[in-house]
Amino acid sequence: MYKAIVIGTSYGGPDALKIILPRLSIGFPVPVIIVLHIGDHSNEVFIDYMNSICPLEVKEAESNEKIREGFIYFAPPNYHLLIESDFTFSLTTDQKHNFSRPSIDILFESAAWAYSQSLIGVVLTGANSDGAAGLKMIRDFGGMAIIQNPCSAISPAMPRAALKIARPEVRLRLEEIPDKLIELVGFNKKNSEMF
Amino acid sequence: MVDSLYNESNADLLNIEIKLLMEGVFLRYGYDFRNYSKAHIKRRVLHRLGISTLSSVSRLQDLVLRDREFFIEFLDDLSINVTEMFRDPEFFKSLREKIIPKLKTYPYFKIWVAGCSTGEEVYSLSILLKEEGLLERCQIYATDFSRKVLEIAKEGVYQKNIIEQFETNYRLSGGKGKLSDYYKSRYGSVIFEKELTNKIVFADHNLVTDTVFADVNLILCRNVLIYFEKSLQDKVIGLFCESLVPSGILCLGTKESIKFSMYEKLFEIIDEKSRIFKKRIG
């Protein structure tokens, strides 16, 4: 079964995430870990806003923090975010990758090592090719690769690059992505309400 | 390329080989990366493998253990030397506003910049101290485990194309003049004034394997602890605690904390956001 979802996006990302993340409800059984290229400044305001519209708790990933299911984590601006094999976070100030820090590839590759085939990778709207190599690795490791259909993306370059390099099995319009994620992780709202 | 050598089917083997490599590096050369973030080390090792013709980490280990020159090169792979002047301008602003007034009450004080890398941070500090009229009253120790970066730090020569970013940071940090007051341009480089290094001693020191430093009043160690696992972070914070005089100041990176460390209670928070802490008395 899938144990984690990683998402990468840049230009148009905040709007795309506003459509996906609020649809994940309490009891969602896996963590959602996100790299959003948002510039070098604090993303506190954005995280506060996401918290106000999401049922799940949204927070910035911290160094050595244990990854918990049902949480939505964002990489801090100006740091790369990596996942350790004991399912904790690491941060680095290593060089920019694809002109980006945080880099989607770096998150995705470390996530593939940690979660192997139990991982879902999602590449959304964006203006460069970061995430394509990472998504390919997720797929090579037996995980599930999803992209936002480039035709429906505000900026199609990123999902298009991912399409070309990773050959993902699933291409969806933005609005279809939440239901797909819910289905893949086997989240049944009725079940969770019984608890 | 790398992905053909290692994949999900031999991920465990890779972890074993990296563990043996780090053990070997420690036994052979005394550099201890055994409690560094494993994901970071894996990324760097695979990067080195990817740009070489070596077919496995075990082959890399053979070379690292037998060829000292190659090891020095490999050491560069494992350390991160990406830094800027006045990185996190808010931190330098806070340092200027909250800590400098206190230092002004001392006739003489010592500062330790731990993990100084290529020197950008220690030059930033020198400039700040000069502007506050304190440079003559202090002794700065700038340390790193890499002799190569210490040589670069001593030179104080940086690429011209990144100076614009440094200028912006300097301005945002509350700098009193222009950054160009402190350097000369030459060809594609900028050279910082020698005067800024008069009070700096550059020294080879390894936070993981070396011991405490002399009684210091202020420690800057920013974006070093993030590379360490929890146990090693604790050990190094303990080292800082021992090195500081009572009421001494510890400055960490903006994503680093003494929270959850066993030494948490020995410090009070001066600036939560900029991660400035004060060692309690007694």
Side-chain angles (χ1 to χ4, degrees):
Chain A
M1 228 30 259
Y2 293 107
K3 287 187 191 141
I5 298 170
V6 287
I7 300 177
T9 181
S10 69
Y11 186 74
D15 286 328
L17 293 170
K18 269 187 248 171
I19 291 174
I20 296 176
L21 301 180
R23 297 265 307 276
L24 310 178
S25 48
I26 301 284
F28 195 70
V30 304
V32 181
I33 304 152
I34 303 166
V35 164
L36 165 66
H37 300 153
I38 200 176
D40 288 353
H41 301 290
S42 164
N43 59 5
E44 220 176 299
V45 175
F46 178 72
I47 286 182
D48 284 349
Y49 171 72
M50 289 310 288
N51 251 319
S52 72
I53 61 166
C54 291
L56 298 182
E57 189 173 332
V58 185
K59 71 183 295 292
E60 190 172 274
E62 294 178 59
S63 170
N64 284 334
E65 180 178 8
K66 184 101 194 129
I67 298 170
R68 288 169 290 175
E69 56 206 36
F71 278 73
I72 298 171
Y73 299 96
F74 278 89
N78 219 2
Y79 288 83
H80 291 303
L81 177 64
L82 289 85
I83 296 174
E84 298 285 340
S85 55
D86 64 355
F87 309 116
T88 58
F89 289 120
S90 282
L91 301 173
T92 86
T93 55
D94 208 346
Q95 274 170 359
K96 288 186 177 179
H97 182 79
N98 299 324
F99 310 102
S100 309
R101 188 173 53 219
S103 150
I104 301 166
D105 279 343
I106 290 178
L107 170 68
F108 280 17
E109 287 167 10
S110 66
W113 284 114
Y115 289 103
S116 197
Q117 77 279 9
S118 318
L119 181 67
I120 301 168
V122 186
V123 173
L124 303 174
T125 168
N128 68 10
S129 63
D130 193 19
L135 195 69
K136 179 177 190 298
M137 184 158 153
I138 289 173
R139 197 159 181 242
D140 289 346
F141 275 39
M144 171 68 68
I146 299 175
I147 58 160
Q148 178 181 4
N149 196 325
C151 311
S152 76
I154 294 173
S155 181
M158 196 179 267
R160 196 170 280 153
L163 175 64
K164 195 173 158 208
I165 291 169
R167 299 266 140 218
E169 43 271 82
V170 185
R171 301 165 212 177
L172 296 169
R173 282 185 299 117
L174 202 52
E175 304 73 36
E176 299 168 323
I177 292 176
D179 281 337
K180 185 70 185 175
L181 295 178
I182 289 163
E183 177 203 318
L184 286 170
V185 300
F187 182 42
N188 184 331
K189 267 184 203 163
K190 279 192 187 114
N191 278 348
S192 77
E193 275 159 14
M194 275 161 57
F195 283 107
Chain B
M1 254 305 285
V2 172
D3 42 10
S4 61
L5 303 175
Y6 292 102
N7 52 51
E8 81 289 356
S9 69
N10 57 10
D12 291 343
L13 176 65
L14 174 62
N15 290 338
I16 290 168
E17 287 183 284
I18 291 175
K19 194 174 168 154
L20 291 172
L21 172 62
M22 293 305 126
E23 199 65 45
V25 164
F26 176 64
L27 292 172
R28 180 86 170 94
Y29 300 106
Y31 288 89
D32 192 353
F33 293 96
R34 294 174 300 173
N35 294 106
Y36 271 55
S37 145
K38 304 246 178 322
H40 161 67
I41 294 289
K42 183 185 284 177
R43 189 166 171 265
R44 304 307 304 190
V45 168
L46 289 178
H47 172 75
R48 167 53 60 178
L49 220 49
I51 58 172
S52 74
T53 54
L54 299 162
S55 61
S56 70
V57 177
S58 296
R59 296 259 154 78
L60 176 72
Q61 177 184 301
D62 187 58
L63 199 55
V64 164
L65 295 186
R66 286 162 194 274
D67 183 343
R68 187 174 286 268
E69 301 264 302
F70 184 82
F71 166 69
I72 301 290
E73 222 175 287
F74 179 61
L75 199 54
D76 261 356
D77 293 338
L78 298 184
S79 48
I80 301 288
N81 293 308
V82 182
T83 174
E84 343 170 333
M85 288 188 81
F86 296 96
R87 184 188 169 110
D88 308 316
E90 275 174 48
F91 160 72
F92 279 93
K93 197 159 191 281
S94 182
L95 189 66
R96 198 187 279 264
E97 286 167 3
K98 298 192 173 112
I99 306 304
I100 292 295
K102 193 183 128 126
L103 293 177
K104 281 185 176 169
T105 66
Y106 300 149
Y108 171 79
F109 55 89
K110 291 198 271 187
I111 301 176
W112 178 16
V113 180
C116 71
S117 186
T118 42
E120 285 85 340
E121 187 131 295
V122 70
Y123 281 92
S124 308
L125 186 65
S126 270
I127 289 168
L128 194 158
L129 291 167
K130 192 176 175 207
E131 290 184 353
E132 296 295 334
L134 288 175
L135 194 55
E136 293 310 309
R137 274 197 250 166
C138 73
Q139 175 70 62
I140 304 173
Y141 303 98
T143 65
D144 204 282
F145 72 67
S146 161
R147 279 174 213 165
K148 190 174 157 187
V149 298
L150 285 172
E151 286 308 314
I152 296 169
K154 274 183 210 166
E155 292 297 314
V157 178
Y158 302 104
Q159 294 292 318
K160 182 136 197 165
N161 58 8
I162 45 171
I163 208 78
E164 204 172 310
Q165 172 73 42
F166 295 177
E167 284 277 6
T168 308
N169 288 353
Y170 169 73
R171 211 171 47 244
L172 292 171
S173 78
K176 290 185 172 170
K178 293 198 303 274
L179 193 59
S180 56
D181 298 340
Y182 302 99
Y183 65 77
K184 290 191 178 61
S185 295
R186 192 164 298 168
Y187 308 108
S189 304
V190 299
I191 304 167
F192 277 83
E193 278 177 17
K194 278 290 160 230
E195 191 202 343
L196 294 171
T197 58
N198 282 350
K199 295 292 178 178
I200 307 174
V201 174
F202 291 97
D204 184 354
H205 180 276
N206 191 323
L207 284 171
V208 186
T209 48
D210 291 339
T211 55
V212 290
F213 233 70
D215 289 338
V216 289
N217 303 84
L218 170 65
I219 294 175
L220 266 73
C221 182
R222 305 178 65 240
N223 296 315
V224 175
L225 296 186
I226 46 171
Y227 294 98
F228 298 167
E229 290 179 347
K230 182 85 181 51
S231 59
L232 184 55
Q233 284 185 357
D234 261 1
K235 185 184 152 189
V236 174
I237 291 169
L239 183 74
F240 291 153
C241 194
E242 271 186 76
S243 300
L244 283 170
V245 298
S247 298
I249 303 294
L250 173 63
C251 304
L252 300 177
T254 51
K255 300 301 168 197
E256 294 165 333
S257 183
I258 52 164
K259 209 165 64 176
F260 311 124
S261 128
M262 56 196 283
Y263 298 96
E264 184 179 359
K265 292 207 166 57
L266 301 180
F267 289 93
E268 60 181 282
I269 297 168
I270 301 287
D271 184 331
E272 168 93 66
K273 220 171 163 212
S274 288
R275 307 295 162 120
I276 301 176
F277 307 94
K278 182 164 119 183
K279 183 180 169 184
R280 291 183 196 276
I281 299 167

